[in-house]
Amino acid sequence: MVEFSSSNNVDLTDYKTIRTLGAHGTLGLININTDVFLCVISGAALVATVRPGETVQRIVSVEFYCLNNGNYDHELHDEINRLNTDDISSDGFDYGHGFEQREPSFEHPCLVLKKLLSSGTFYYSVDFDLTNRLQNRASNESTFDVDSLDEDFLWNSYMIGPLVQFRSRLAPPEQEALDASRFLTLTIRGYVSTITVPVSASPVKAIHSNYPSSLTLISRLSCRRAGTRFNSRGIDDNGNVANFVETETVFWFPSGLCFSYAQIRGSVPVFWEQATGLLPGQQKITITRSPEATQPAFDKHFEHLEINYGTIYILNLLSESKPGEVELTQRYRSHVRYNPLYQSASEGTGADHRLLQESQFDFHAETKGPGGYEAASMVKHLIQDSAEGFAYYLSDILQPDESRPPNNKALNQRSVVVLKQEGVFRTNCLDCLDRTNLIQTIISQMALESFLKHRGERASSDFWMRHSTLWADNGDSLSRIYAGTGALKSSFTRNGKMSLAGAIADARKSATRIYINNFADKGRQNTIDMLLGRLMDQPPVQLYDPINDYVTAELHKRINTYSTTKTVHIWVGTFNLNGRGNGIKEDLSSWLCPEISQPQQSAEIVAVGFQEIVELSPQQIMSTDPARRQQWESAVGRTLNENARKRGSEEYVLLRSGQLVGAALIIFVKSHVLGMIKNVEGSLKKTGMSGVAGNKGAVAIRMDCANTRICFVTAHLAAGFANYDERNRDYRTISHGLRFQRNRSIEDHDTIIWLGDFNYRIGLNDDKVRRLIAVGDLDTLYQNDQLNLQMVAGQTFPFYSEARITFMPTYKYNNGTDEYDSSEKARIPAWCDRVLRKGDNLRQISYNTAPLRFSDHRPVYATFQCTISVIDKPLKEALSHEIYNKRRIEVGEATANALGRDIEDEELLDYDSIAPGLPPASSDRRKWWLNNGLPARSNIASPQDALIPNPWRPSNPFTPGSEPDWIVDPKTTRQQSPSDGGTTQITPGESFASVPPKFAPPFARPRRLPLTPAHISLKETTSAYAAPMRTASFGSSPSSSFAITRKNAPPVPKKPMLLTSSDQRRVDSGLGETAKSASSRVPPASPPNPRKPTLTSDDVEFLTFARRNAEVSRTPSRGQTLLPPLPRRISRPLHEDPGASGRPHSTPRPGGAVTISNGLLDVENDGAQNIPSLRPLRRN
């Protein structure tokens, strides 16, 4: 529960101080292992002063305090920076200054987060908005508005989000008070530093000014696609790129003149990945999505940049000769040509007027000569014209009017914008670190030179040295964040030349990067994802807000208002190629485009899985050759689009593909579906040779289709007839070990489809299998199918489903024929190739095979209808605000923690009635039947005079019945017509003499209960007491003479024989049919009485107890049970013949199994556990 109120109105006696030395701010709340932690900045250092009154602090230490568990109070605070001091070393760690280090009893769950936040790469400001560049914030404001923050660069947005959302619901005065308290701290990641420029070195000269100038560099790293070097590459479906950094150079002069220039860097905006490796040649670049599927995300990226920065100039530093970088460059250029911003220039205006321009500058080729890195300055000639056109941001202080009175001079002393930057350079290399930082240093220098040139001034070498030092430190900081080490080539950036020591330092950094990227980056990536709230098993912090809970419940009720569903057709196929490449040129339409229903022929999503796409030789199982997969991609795409053109439908585009040695998964989609698909990711998992080799394993591709998560998995499991246990282990390894980004697993999806060669066989001998195939007895084959048996036993693919198999086994054929294996090995035919599904929104339409004969397998395909959810987020947000504001007005200004009063949270809510006329729901403090502690009195008025509430109406208003709500008061002579259940309208002058009065029902009058003599039969005793017992239980069963009829209670359904315990059946068989009649709530009208049982001593004891009970309670009240339930006594041995009971006789069988004459098994008998066919029924 969170509340913002004055400290004078809150009783703090029950609270304790968590930090005696004070805190610099809070970064927010985070939920880890069901515990909620508050992150507090315990150490900070001043690193920059952008302008007077605009300071920036660097976070050097943080503390995490658990709000709901006291076990962590003394575990973390001694780990890092145990002393609260701002004098911290450059690495952000302080291990006690001589104090003995104490080992913690266990690792604190926030330890990795503390190390990350204390690394010295996070910055904040309490004076201004650090997330926006100078041009985008009001130049005369020193404070910041939380609502105007740029969340692209807000790294604690996940932790601070609940508190910011709470702030948005406060009244404006309370918002201002909360902002003034500086409780909410907003942080960026990157680099911030200010260098003081003395008057002697300042390039801007002014008269009568002896104050130094300042040069500040601010780099803001985007958190949208944050991650480490090999875990975060390229672009995502929202247009966010990896390692995207906005760097701003700010020069301030004491006269008030302020210069600002911004640049951006970011990964190549296409879908690509790079594998890690200990050798440079192993780090192969893979483009994972087709040009058609990439273009929408590419356009989103540059559309966002154009809105924020204006014209974009792409400066690509990739090599034109290096493998991998060449493919990226070609794809980059291709997408630029098709971008609307590039095509925006009208005819005759020329390329200089395009909103998107690009140039190629091969950094390695240009600096390879004798000039070395100094040749990088040649880039100036390439971009000079555009740099002058983009200009820069410039503001100045408007001097006050001397004619104004002194107290009004400040009104005119304000900052005015002189010039604005109208374009930006977007620089990239492969990592956007070393080469990029050097080129951006040159561009920043060009902008400053242009500014000084317009003023007719020049800078000294001392000034440029300070400028280079800032940029070198910036490069080192950004490189440590992304790659784990400082930037290469930083020696040249600092000194303007490359020394031997600098070259040795670069070699050391390169070796360190290889180690970190291969062994440490995965853990660093998980920590970053945890900080940003992107792990799948990471629940968000929910601040308890009764109004917000009400809004959430209302939104769930109105989900149909902002949510719709669409049907997407999916085609899935799997084919083991047996290493054959000759099928690439064959007609695949019988498999990819079978003769099925029209909607399924034009499926929006096509998933094609291959196994053994290459021959699995010992040389190939350790590496992946993408050439064969690319050939099959072209063959599949060609077949799909040829058939699409024949049908006059839209063509397909390649969304993504993946390959693990011989296994490959290829996804094609219709063009119109691309707008709904995002967050496409791929992952691999090896299972061959205990996870070392890739001859066996899985390839998975996941996506978000609108608001539905879909995952496709193609797998090639262990071979061998008897190796079903190993296949089960392969499934578990893939299901639990295969992970996508943000720790997302296969099971974290709404729709899952597995396809592939699972290698499960048929558990019969070869001759019998072939005979069953010859006669078409597929049912017998399927009953012995290993996959079917293992799924039923719960050993593999739990909760997955498979459609009915109507085709012959797909393995193993003689190549080119329809004959099964006739070689010496004579492999048993089997359904190795399967398609399994999981998801409530998935409906399978077809499941069949295709007659392609160039492999020893037959291809299998399946079609599905998938219902996806589409949520209108703007409409949902608007509806949420509407409900919240309305509820806020209803609740009023109630608070949860007023001084001197302990108020329950639920008192903040006004409960609604579930039906008109009923009071609202009660709570522990408010009860609808009490009024100020006294019994509440009804304020319902009688509809007519002389009518009173019917006392015989059931107290529960939802109980069905025919009793009227009102009856005539017996004290008066007025009467009511019994013709209906309501009240009769009496007209003036009408006589009531002819209408008989309505009296209380007879069962409510006192009467004596007739006693049954002891010598009568048990059946007669039960019959005599059955009706009174039912009357008392339901309180509404009148006698037969009463005019108002009642519905009898419905018969209680009997437990099926199979679900009845053996002990219960023995007890039932011990009682005669008469006892069964007595124990039934509604006995039959004419119960069979084949033979009257004689009374036993138990029966006499029971009748004596019943007589005494009747003597005690002669006058039953409504709703009171007269007699206890009849006890089930057993007056014979359990194995005695039940005689006329008709119940089948149970006899023990060998092995402990028990059967009965009707053929049903007693599954609760201990001996039944030994029956193998019943074991699958006992899965948890």
Side-chain angles (χ1 to χ4, degrees):
M1 184 71 181
V2 62
E3 180 186 0
F4 181 73
S5 60
S6 174
S7 58
N8 298 327
N9 298 329
V10 180
D11 185 5
L12 299 178
T13 56
D14 294 334
Y15 294 83
K16 69 176 182 178
T17 303
I18 62 175
R19 186 170 181 81
T20 59
L21 299 179
H24 298 269
T26 58
L27 296 181
L29 302 166
I30 191 167
N31 194 334
I32 301 177
N33 299 332
T34 69
D35 291 326
V36 178
F37 293 88
L38 175 68
C39 183
V40 177
I41 302 174
S42 56
L46 177 66
V47 294
T49 302
V50 182
R51 295 186 299 184
E54 295 182 353
T55 60
V56 180
Q57 312 283 331
R58 183 180 67 214
I59 299 175
V60 293
S61 64
V62 298
E63 301 288 353
F64 284 87
Y65 297 95
C66 188
L67 301 183
N68 61 333
N69 192 338
N71 295 333
Y72 306 105
D73 290 350
H74 305 287
E75 295 299 330
L76 185 60
H77 313 308
D78 295 336
E79 283 290 315
I80 303 174
N81 302 323
R82 58 182 298 181
L83 296 180
N84 182 28
T85 175
D86 291 342
D87 186 14
I88 302 296
S89 60
S90 59
D91 62 354
F93 293 83
D94 182 3
Y95 289 96
H97 295 284
F99 288 88
E100 182 181 356
Q101 188 71 17
R102 179 172 60 88
E103 290 294 332
S105 59
F106 60 92
E107 182 174 304
H108 194 283
C110 299
L111 181 61
V112 291
L113 284 177
K114 178 167 184 177
K115 290 180 178 179
L116 175 65
L117 292 170
S118 303
S119 61
T121 59
F122 291 87
Y123 302 84
Y124 72 94
S125 174
V126 296
D127 303 318
F128 70 102
D129 179 9
L130 189 56
T131 64
N132 276 299
R133 57 187 175 128
L134 196 59
Q135 180 170 311
N136 290 347
R137 56 188 175 91
S139 58
N140 59 343
E141 290 184 0
S142 60
T143 59
F144 63 92
D145 183 8
V146 176
D147 299 326
S148 63
L149 296 172
D150 189 344
E151 293 190 6
D152 290 350
F153 305 113
L154 186 61
W155 271 73
N156 64 326
S157 60
Y158 172 74
M159 293 198 299
I160 206 72
L163 295 175
V164 171
Q165 187 178 19
F166 167 76
R167 174 194 175 276
S168 66
R169 293 169 177 168
L170 297 176
E174 294 176 334
Q175 291 184 0
E176 295 176 1
L178 180 59
D179 294 343
S181 69
R182 296 184 176 181
F183 180 79
L184 304 181
T185 306
L186 308 167
T187 182
I188 68 168
R189 194 181 193 193
Y191 176 76
V192 182
S193 183
T194 294
I195 287 184
T196 301
V197 182
V199 177
S200 59
S202 176
V204 178
K205 306 299 181 183
I207 303 174
H208 308 301
S209 177
N210 295 323
Y211 294 99
S213 307
S214 64
L215 183 64
T216 304
L217 197 65
I218 304 175
S219 286
R220 306 173 180 91
L221 176 63
S222 173
C223 62
R224 295 298 188 187
R225 189 166 169 76
T228 55
R229 187 183 181 194
F230 288 99
N231 292 289
S232 180
R233 292 289 204 190
I235 196 172
D236 64 14
D237 289 280
N238 294 320
N240 304 308
V241 296
N243 200 22
F244 182 84
V245 183
E246 176 191 84
T247 304
E248 182 181 15
T249 305
V250 180
F251 178 67
W252 176 84
F253 189 70
S255 64
L257 188 67
C258 190
F259 162 90
S260 170
Y261 190 78
Q263 304 177 66
I264 56 176
R265 68 175 75 182
S267 186
V268 177
V270 299
F271 292 93
W272 64 282
E273 297 172 352
Q274 188 176 16
T276 58
L278 298 177
L279 299 177
Q282 294 179 342
Q283 300 169 353
K284 294 183 179 180
I285 295 174
T286 305
I287 298 176
T288 59
R289 199 176 294 192
S290 66
E292 298 85 356
T294 302
Q295 193 68 44
F298 186 92
D299 294 342
K300 285 181 184 179
H301 175 68
F302 283 99
E303 180 184 0
H304 180 71
L305 295 184
E306 192 274 332
I307 293 173
N308 290 336
Y309 302 101
T311 304
I312 305 106
Y313 194 108
I314 298 172
L315 192 57
N316 183 19
L317 308 180
L318 293 178
S319 172
E320 293 183 329
S321 58
K322 221 173 184 181
E325 295 190 16
V326 175
E327 288 77 5
L328 281 177
T329 298
Q330 293 174 350
R331 181 66 70 84
Y332 202 170
R333 288 175 175 173
S334 173
H335 288 300
V336 168
R337 299 295 185 271
Y338 287 100
N339 187 268
L341 299 177
Y342 182 84
Q343 302 171 351
S344 61
S346 58
E347 296 182 2
T349 58
D352 294 339
H353 293 80
R354 292 191 179 107
L355 295 176
L356 179 62
Q357 306 173 37
E358 62 98 14
S359 291
Q360 174 71 25
F361 185 78
D362 189 342
F363 183 90
H364 288 313
E366 297 293 341
T367 59
K368 195 174 183 180
Y373 293 145
E374 295 180 2
S377 60
M378 296 175 58
V379 73
K380 294 181 179 179
H381 305 290
L382 188 64
I383 63 175
Q384 183 67 45
D385 294 339
S386 296
E388 293 181 356
F390 291 166
Y392 45 83
Y393 173 82
L394 186 66
S395 66
D396 203 352
I397 296 294
L398 182 65
Q399 296 300 326
D401 189 354
E402 297 294 337
S403 62
R404 288 182 177 270
N407 58 345
N408 289 334
K409 287 183 179 180
L411 295 177
N412 276 348
Q413 191 172 0
R414 56 188 178 86
S415 178
V416 294
V417 177
V418 179
L419 194 62
K420 283 191 174 183
Q421 184 177 346
E422 298 181 354
V424 68
F425 285 100
R426 187 195 188 279
T427 311
N428 72 269
C429 55
L430 193 65
D431 297 323
C432 302
L433 295 176
D434 315 317
R435 290 174 277 181
T436 298
N437 196 72
L438 181 54
I439 294 300
Q440 285 195 334
T441 304
I442 296 173
I443 296 175
S444 175
Q445 182 176 344
M446 291 175 61
L448 279 168
E449 289 176 343
S450 177
F451 158 65
L452 297 175
K453 181 180 178 181
H454 292 160
R455 293 180 55 87
E457 297 172 335
R458 297 184 60 184
S460 63
S461 59
D462 187 11
F463 177 81
W464 293 125
M465 183 62 65
R466 298 172 190 272
H467 175 266
S468 299
T469 301
L470 270 180
W471 274 96
D473 293 341
N474 174 71
D476 287 340
S477 181
L478 296 179
S479 181
R480 288 192 190 96
I481 295 172
Y482 191 59
T485 70
L488 307 181
K489 309 174 184 63
S490 60
S491 175
F492 177 83
T493 305
R494 294 178 188 276
N495 307 315
K497 59 180 180 180
M498 195 66 183
S499 62
L500 177 61
I504 296 175
D506 287 352
R508 177 178 55 83
K509 292 175 184 177
S510 297
T512 305
R513 281 186 183 182
I514 292 176
Y515 173 82
I516 291 176
N517 298 156
N518 281 274
F519 303 105
D521 274 359
K522 185 175 181 181
R524 294 171 62 216
Q525 182 69 53
N526 287 337
T527 304
I528 293 172
D529 290 338
M530 181 188 299
L531 175 65
L532 299 175
R534 295 174 178 174
L535 297 178
M536 288 303 299
D537 54 352
Q538 183 178 5
V541 175
Q542 298 289 347
L543 295 180
Y544 181 66
D545 183 354
I547 302 179
N548 188 44
D549 292 346
Y550 175 82
V551 171
T552 302
E554 286 297 311
L555 286 176
H556 183 71
K557 294 178 183 178
R558 307 184 193 181
I559 188 172
N560 294 331
T561 305
Y562 56 86
S563 175
T564 58
T565 59
K566 291 185 179 180
T567 299
V568 173
H569 298 90
I570 301 176
W571 184 98
V572 172
T574 178
F575 195 0
N576 187 315
L577 299 173
N578 194 26
R580 305 282 176 169
N582 55 352
I584 295 176
K585 298 181 180 179
E586 292 197 14
D587 183 13
L588 306 176
S589 58
S590 61
W591 175 45
L592 299 174
C593 308
E595 295 297 330
I596 51 180
S597 60
Q598 182 60 34
Q600 304 300 321
Q601 290 180 354
S602 301
E604 286 83 358
I605 301 176
V606 174
V608 183
F610 291 111
Q611 301 82 43
E612 297 187 30
I613 200 171
V614 296
E615 293 185 7
L616 300 181
S617 62
Q619 296 79 14
Q620 290 181 324
I621 64 175
M622 303 302 294
S623 62
T624 299
D625 182 9
R628 185 66 65 86
R629 186 200 77 230
Q630 294 170 356
Q631 295 175 0
W632 279 104
E633 287 176 3
S634 301
V636 172
R638 181 176 61 252
T639 303
L640 290 174
N641 288 326
E642 286 177 357
N643 282 270
R645 286 190 289 269
K646 290 179 182 178
R647 298 187 178 99
S649 61
E650 187 180 17
E651 294 189 358
Y652 291 89
V653 297
L654 177 63
L655 181 66
R656 180 171 178 139
S657 62
Q659 181 180 355
L660 174 64
V661 186
L665 180 60
I666 307 169
I667 306 292
F668 285 87
V669 298
K670 293 281 190 179
S671 299
H672 74 274
V673 185
L674 285 174
M676 296 191 299
I677 293 178
K678 59 182 179 180
N679 299 328
V680 182
E681 301 173 16
S683 185
L684 310 172
K685 187 62 180 180
K686 298 178 182 179
T687 59
M689 297 176 61
S690 300
V692 176
N695 59 319
K696 295 294 187 289
V699 182
I701 294 178
R702 58 93 51 207
M703 68 186 72
D704 292 339
C705 188
N707 297 98
T708 300
R709 300 166 297 177
I710 303 177
C711 182
F712 297 96
V713 185
T714 185
H716 195 186
L717 306 184
F721 179 85
N723 291 337
Y724 55 86
D725 284 335
E726 186 175 351
R727 288 187 277 274
N728 296 343
R729 285 195 297 270
D730 284 352
Y731 160 76
R732 290 192 291 269
T733 299
I734 296 169
S735 180
H736 296 95
L738 189 146
R739 296 284 169 169
F740 299 97
Q741 293 183 9
R742 303 173 185 174
N743 203 33
R744 187 184 284 116
S745 68
I746 294 175
E747 297 300 320
D748 294 325
H749 292 82
D750 306 307
T751 302
I752 308 171
I753 299 178
W754 283 68
L755 57 147
D757 181 0
F758 300 155
N759 261 322
Y760 285 94
R761 310 303 172 90
I762 297 175
L764 299 173
N765 61 54
D766 183 59
D767 292 338
K768 188 169 184 179
V769 170
R770 294 177 187 257
R771 287 198 303 270
L772 292 173
I773 292 175
V775 298
D777 189 357
L778 301 183
D779 289 341
T780 302
L781 292 174
Y782 187 71
Q783 291 173 8
N784 293 275
D785 176 69
Q786 291 179 350
L787 178 58
N788 173 43
L789 295 174
Q790 294 299 309
M791 288 177 66
V792 170
Q795 299 299 316
T796 189
F797 291 99
F799 308 108
Y800 281 84
S801 301
E802 183 181 27
R804 180 183 178 86
I805 295 180
T806 59
F807 48 88
M808 294 298 176
T810 59
Y811 172 86
K812 174 182 181 177
Y813 289 89
N814 295 324
N815 289 334
T817 69
D818 289 330
E819 299 177 356
Y820 288 102
D821 185 20
S822 59
S823 65
E824 295 181 359
K825 295 183 178 180
R827 297 225 169 62
I828 302 174
W831 285 297
C832 291
D833 310 280
R834 313 287 274 269
V835 177
L836 305 180
R837 71 184 188 275
K838 182 180 180 181
D840 296 335
N841 60 335
L842 205 59
R843 176 172 173 258
Q844 188 161 350
I845 304 301
S846 61
Y847 192 26
N848 211 335
T849 186
L852 297 180
R853 300 178 177 86
F854 57 84
S855 172
D856 59 354
H857 289 252
R858 290 292 181 266
V860 173
Y861 67 87
T863 59
F864 302 89
Q865 285 183 354
C866 181
T867 302
I868 62 172
S869 174
V870 182
I871 295 178
D872 189 338
K873 292 184 179 180
L875 181 59
K876 180 181 179 182
E877 192 69 21
L879 183 61
S880 175
H881 285 297
E882 177 185 347
I883 298 173
Y884 187 92
N885 294 332
K886 181 179 178 181
R887 192 63 176 173
R888 181 73 181 244
I889 296 174
E890 295 174 355
V891 172
E893 298 298 329
T895 60
N897 193 12
L899 183 62
R901 184 189 173 199
D902 185 16
I903 300 179
E904 295 291 336
D905 300 339
E906 58 190 7
E907 291 191 42
L908 299 179
L909 287 177
D910 288 336
Y911 293 95
D912 290 334
S913 300
I914 61 175
L918 294 179
S922 302
S923 67
D924 291 340
R925 299 234 174 200
R926 300 189 307 172
K927 299 176 175 58
W928 63 265
W929 58 89
L930 295 179
N931 183 16
N932 294 325
L934 299 176
R937 300 185 65 84
S938 172
N939 57 3
I940 301 177
S942 173
Q944 293 183 15
D945 295 336
L947 294 181
I948 62 172
N950 184 0
W952 313 132
R953 191 183 186 279
S955 59
N956 186 348
F958 299 100
T959 301
S962 57
E963 288 285 352
D965 294 335
W966 302 89
I967 62 173
V968 177
D969 189 347
K971 297 179 181 179
T972 67
T973 57
R974 300 194 175 186
Q975 301 172 0
Q976 177 185 8
S977 173
S979 60
D980 54 41
T983 303
T984 304
Q985 298 293 331
I986 308 298
T987 59
E990 183 178 354
S991 174
F992 294 91
S994 59
V995 182
K998 179 181 177 70
F999 298 102
F1003 62 79
R1005 304 171 191 167
R1007 62 187 177 93
R1008 295 179 62 85
L1009 183 69
L1011 297 179
T1012 306
H1015 63 271
I1016 67 171
S1017 67
L1018 178 61
K1019 175 187 173 183
E1020 294 172 348
T1021 303
T1022 306
S1023 303
Y1025 284 91
M1029 287 173 62
R1030 291 196 306 275
T1031 300
S1033 298
F1034 291 96
S1036 58
S1037 180
S1039 64
S1040 59
S1041 61
F1042 192 52
I1044 300 177
T1045 60
R1046 285 278 194 168
K1047 289 184 178 179
N1048 291 329
V1052 179
K1054 294 185 178 180
K1055 199 172 186 182
M1057 182 72 68
L1058 185 61
L1059 300 180
T1060 304
S1061 66
S1062 56
D1063 293 339
Q1064 183 67 38
R1065 285 202 307 276
R1066 292 189 184 103
V1067 173
D1068 290 344
S1069 61
L1071 294 175
E1073 192 68 22
T1074 308
K1076 288 169 54 182
S1077 172
S1079 62
S1080 173
R1081 295 179 63 183
V1082 182
S1086 301
N1089 189 15
R1091 103 189 207 190
K1092 294 184 179 180
T1094 60
L1095 291 175
T1096 65
S1097 60
D1098 295 328
D1099 298 328
V1100 173
E1101 178 184 355
F1102 163 72
L1103 292 177
T1104 305
F1105 169 79
R1107 183 181 298 107
R1108 284 199 301 267
N1109 187 66
E1111 291 287 351
V1112 172
S1113 178
R1114 294 293 186 97
T1115 308
S1117 61
R1118 178 182 292 271
Q1120 179 183 3
T1121 303
L1122 294 178
L1123 292 177
L1126 290 173
R1128 298 186 176 219
R1129 296 284 187 151
I1130 301 175
S1131 57
R1132 58 177 177 80
L1134 289 177
H1135 295 290
E1136 184 180 341
D1137 185 9
S1141 62
R1143 190 173 296 275
H1145 183 69
S1146 299
T1147 57
R1149 296 297 178 95
V1154 176
T1155 62
I1156 54 180
S1157 59
N1158 59 4
L1160 296 178
L1161 288 172
D1162 185 359
V1163 297
E1164 294 187 14
N1165 185 277
D1166 294 337
Q1169 298 178 1
N1170 300 323
I1171 304 176
S1173 60
L1174 290 182
R1175 291 173 187 168
L1177 299 177
R1178 293 186 176 83
R1179 289 180 295 164
N1180 293 328

